[in-house]
Structure formats: C-alpha cells, structure tokens
Amino acid sequence: MLFHLKRCFAFSIIVPLLLTGADAHAGNGSSVKLRTVVIDAGHGGHDPGTISPDKKIKESTINLDIALTLGKKIDEAFPDVKVLYTRKKDVFIPLAQRADIANRNNADLFISIHVNSVPKKTGVRGVETFVMGTDKSASNMEVCKRENSVILLEKDYSTTYQGFDPSNAESYIFFNLMQNASFEQSIEMASLVQKQLKKGPITVDRGIKQAPILVLWKTTMPAVLVEVGFLSNPSDRKILASKSERNRIADNIFKAFSAFKNGYDEEIAFVEEPETDIPDGKVFRIQIMASSKNLGEGSPQFKGLKNVEKQRINGLYKYTVGSYSSQEKAAAALKTVKEKFPEAFIVYR
Ligand SMILES: [Zn+2]
C-alpha cells in the first residue's frame, strides 16, 4: 500500500475547519447507518476522459456503464439505501458539482469510477483505488493531473477553483493545506474495493494510492476513486470493452460496497436507556451514541459535532457533547443535538 498515514496526523489540526462541511450530515435519522451512496461516473459530454488508441472506446462510456450497473445491484440488494448518481447519461458535470451532489444529499459514501491510461507504456495494467491525499509520486501526479484536468474544460474554472491549474504540479501545494476528515473510512473502502477487484477479470493489483484529486477533496464523506483498468493496455482494454466483463467489475465493487456497509452499520449501537447512577461532582452532558469502537476526533459518525468527549464504560465508548451545570441548560441544548441525533439523551456523569 502506498499511502502515508503519517501525513494524516500531520494535518489533524485542519480537521475542525472541515467539520463545517460535515455539518451537512445533519438530519440523517435516528441511527447511524449507511443510507445514501453517490456513484460518480467520471467525465462525460464534451469530456470523454481517456480514449482507446483506435479512438473507438471512450472512458466516459465505460465509467457510466459500470456506475449504472453498480447502482442497480445496490438498489436490488439494499432497498433501504438511496443510490444517487452524479450523471445517468452522457453529459458534462463539473467536478465541484459532483462533490456538491454528494454533500447536499448527505451521502455516506462517494464512489467515483474511472479508467486509467499511460501514454506510450502499453505494458502497464491493473486496478487501483485512490483516496484523497498528498502523495506526490510521479505516477500519481499523472493520474491526478488527468482526473483534475476536467477543470480546464469548465467555463469558470478560475473562479470556481481559485486559480488552481491542474497542469501545474506547483498548484498541488494548494491541496496540502487540506485533509479529508473521512480518511480512515476512505482507506477502508479502498481496501475492500482492491480486495474484490483483484479477483478479476483484471487481476493486477496496483494498490491503494493517495492523490490530491479534487472530487475526493471536496466531498465531506468517505470517498474513493476507482481506476478499473488501463485503456492503454491491450489486455485491460479488451476486458473493459466487454459488457459482461464490465458487469463482473461492477459486481466486485458491489461486493466491496456490501462489506463496507455491513461494517459501517455495525459500528454504532445506540444505547437507549439513560444512566441511572448519579455520582457527585459531575456535570450534565448529552450522550449522542455508544459504541464498542473507539472513534477518533472528527469521525464522520459525529455528524460534524465538535468537542465530542468519550468515556469507556463497561466496555463501551460513550460519546457525549456539552457540559452543563443544570438539567435545564442541558435540555435546552439537547433540542439542537437531537436534530442530528434524535435518540440523544442527557446523562449526569
Ligand atoms: Zn478519468
């Protein structure tokens, strides 16, 4: 695996800034479950993405087919999951708008589908999955230049992206100031995708990579960008051109989604009965959730709430917000917290 975890922690001071974006997760319902997935078929319209040497196969067509097939499989298997697409036909959607669709709909997961290529190196093939990061290795820079270069096809890119120029490596310093708060879960999804994809039809596992890809950076939930194969490689190209092989690829990503959803849904168990023992010298707090899992600061499970405190009680981590001298004050604050966590309640500890 090529990602550098160290960098994640180096940027952890940035996390509070990003929580403003994560506030968009408000109103997700009474328990933490993966409810909404956004599937993003890369490119489209006047941006075909990469093209086969004979110019007959467009990346945008392959992306759309795999995206729609994946979405259909999720729809059928998980009726409780809302599947949204950034595009369902051959149209151009700006990068920021793709991320915005996911953010606006409080998506819990964002999956972007792409096809890779390398000029003049037809031997290079395989599957790889990207998460947002700042790895500046040369090959990754090529991928993110290509995937971000869509910006140049957008009309007002200089205002939308504040002068960011995807063809200039220096511009990527711009991304260094940011780190996606959902990094760990993005890595988890990326691992599941790679694990499934390498089962074939394209079995060359190029691993998980970090790159400053705009569509991943702009999203406020776990997000991955899957490069399902190389259009520049004859073997990969033959597979990608086949509808039934694309169906297998979609099925692999679907299996990764299922595993991710199962893990996600099991992570949090709400504890409904309030605490009964009231020790002296304590304060009123609002418990938002309890979990066997030790969640880190800025976890997306907190839905953007800041200063979440955790206490380990009877083997469960109990997560609370606020500190109030009276039950009345806590009750007033509880109303707001309930907008995000309807089952939140007041504790005294
Ligand atoms: Zn692409």
Side-chain angles (χ1 to χ4, degrees):
M1 299 214 280
L2 294 170
F3 61 89
H4 305 287
L5 217 50
K6 260 188 296 183
R7 289 203 173 110
C8 175
F9 300 116
F11 289 109
S12 59
I13 47 159
I14 306 294
V15 165
L17 286 175
L18 292 165
L19 290 179
T20 323
D23 279 346
H25 283 270
N28 253 9
S30 60
S31 60
V32 178
K33 278 200 157 132
L34 200 163
R35 292 206 166 102
T36 307
V37 59
V38 169
I39 304 175
D40 173 46
H43 312 277
H46 65 271
D47 165 31
T50 190
I51 303 171
S52 63
D54 65 3
K55 310 243 186 303
K56 283 185 183 155
I57 312 168
K58 291 190 292 185
E59 174 190 350
S60 56
T61 312
I62 298 173
N63 295 342
L64 184 60
D65 181 63
I66 293 177
L68 294 176
T69 311
L70 168 64
K72 195 163 170 266
K73 287 174 193 287
I74 296 174
D75 261 337
E76 284 165 7
F78 299 100
D80 59 322
V81 173
K82 200 200 295 178
V83 180
L84 299 171
Y85 304 86
T86 53
R87 66 181 181 100
K88 289 181 92 172
K89 48 189 185 197
D90 190 19
V91 287
F92 181 76
I93 311 282
L95 288 177
Q97 197 175 316
R98 293 169 190 257
D100 192 48
I101 289 168
N103 295 343
R104 242 186 308 122
N105 287 287
N106 302 323
D108 303 302
L109 180 64
F110 181 85
I111 305 171
S112 188
I113 310 286
H114 283 261
V115 176
N116 233 324
S117 80
V118 271
K120 295 181 190 134
K121 285 187 193 163
T122 53
V124 177
R125 62 175 305 206
V127 289
E128 59 192 23
T129 301
F130 284 85
V131 299
M132 174 59 204
T134 52
D135 190 323
K136 282 196 233 43
S137 72
S139 63
N140 288 1
M141 286 310 290
E142 285 313 307
V143 167
C144 60
K145 272 185 199 171
R146 193 175 60 252
E147 303 304 9
N148 287 327
S149 69
V150 183
I151 294 170
L152 294 175
L153 301 172
E154 296 173 11
K155 253 193 304 180
D156 313 315
Y157 87 90
S158 58
T159 47
T160 311
Y161 303 105
Q162 296 157 337
F164 174 76
D165 176 3
S167 61
N168 176 3
E170 296 284 303
S171 275
Y172 289 91
I173 290 164
F174 168 78
F175 284 113
N176 286 358
L177 299 169
M178 301 295 168
Q179 178 65 46
N180 193 313
S182 309
F183 183 76
E184 270 182 52
Q185 283 181 307
S186 301
I187 290 283
E188 189 186 333
M189 179 60 185
S191 323
L192 292 165
V193 169
Q194 284 301 117
K195 188 179 153 197
Q196 293 298 331
L197 278 183
K198 70 184 181 192
K199 291 179 181 170
I202 297 172
T203 54
V204 179
D205 178 11
R206 296 172 54 85
I208 299 166
K209 298 182 176 178
Q210 267 190 290
I213 294 172
L214 196 125
V215 78
L216 299 180
W217 168 61
K218 286 271 183 182
T219 48
T220 55
M221 70 291 307
V224 296
L225 184 145
V226 189
E227 295 275 3
V228 296
F230 282 76
L231 213 45
S232 48
N233 172 269
S235 311
D236 279 11
R237 186 164 63 240
K238 196 175 164 205
I239 290 165
L240 293 170
S242 150
K243 173 80 187 164
S244 63
E245 299 289 45
R246 288 199 299 270
N247 184 59
R248 283 178 67 194
I249 292 169
D251 199 52
N252 285 338
I253 303 172
F254 164 73
K255 283 177 184 145
F257 169 85
S258 307
F260 183 82
K261 176 169 165 56
N262 288 338
Y264 190 104
D265 291 357
E266 282 167 11
E267 229 164 58
I268 304 293
F270 282 90
V271 174
E272 302 207 5
E273 70 278 14
E275 302 297 302
T276 45
D277 54 330
I278 301 177
D280 290 327
K282 303 292 177 185
V283 291
F284 292 94
R285 302 171 191 274
I286 297 167
Q287 182 165 323
I288 54 169
M289 65 172 97
S291 168
S292 56
K293 184 147 175 159
N294 186 0
L295 300 171
E297 196 192 327
S299 163
Q301 310 284 8
F302 300 151
K303 301 183 180 180
L305 289 185
K306 291 167 197 175
N307 302 319
V308 176
E309 290 195 23
K310 94 187 129 191
Q311 282 178 294
R312 192 146 194 252
I313 300 169
N314 299 329
L316 268 187
Y317 292 96
K318 305 207 171 180
Y319 297 91
T320 58
V321 290
S323 169
Y324 308 95
S325 55
S326 73
Q327 192 160 5
E328 289 70 33
K329 285 177 185 164
L334 180 64
K335 282 182 195 157
T336 317
V337 174
K338 272 183 177 276
E339 287 169 16
K340 296 184 179 192
F341 294 93
E343 288 165 39
F345 54 85
I346 297 167
V347 294
Y348 190 70
R349 64 167 95 100

